[in-house]
Amino acid sequence: MTKEELHINFLEAFEKASNTTIQLPPDVMLHFYAYYKQATHTEGFHTPSGDNEIRNAFKLNALFQVKNLTPDEAKLKYIELVNKYIAE
């Protein structure tokens, strides 16, 4: 798959994930979050924001788990998650 095809597939997967009504478990949602941030946030390390410190800690832990993935690897992992949990 070319870099352009990967990007198009990632955008399509993001659209599916954004529009789903499927209730996913919190741990799966954290994977979606971490892969998306790793794929799209290219300037340094992303720090979660929000009022809930516990939720931010879980998000930060998820980000640490994917920090060694390249943006393209994260896009591929994100697509795989969508195909696994949000198949249409």
Side-chain angles (χ1 to χ4, degrees), residues 15-31:
E15 187 70 25
K16 281 183 187 177
S18 296
N19 293 316
T20 189
T21 57
I22 298 170
Q23 293 290 319
L24 297 169
D27 61 322
V28 174
M29 292 298 294
L30 284 169
H31 282 91

Side-chain angles (χ1 to χ4, degrees), residues 69-86:
L69 294 178
T70 68
D72 286 347
E73 290 170 332
K75 285 178 183 180
L76 189 56
K77 293 285 191 181
Y78 189 93
I79 293 166
E80 289 171 358
L81 273 184
V82 168
N83 290 338
K84 181 175 181 179
Y85 291 101
I86 310 173

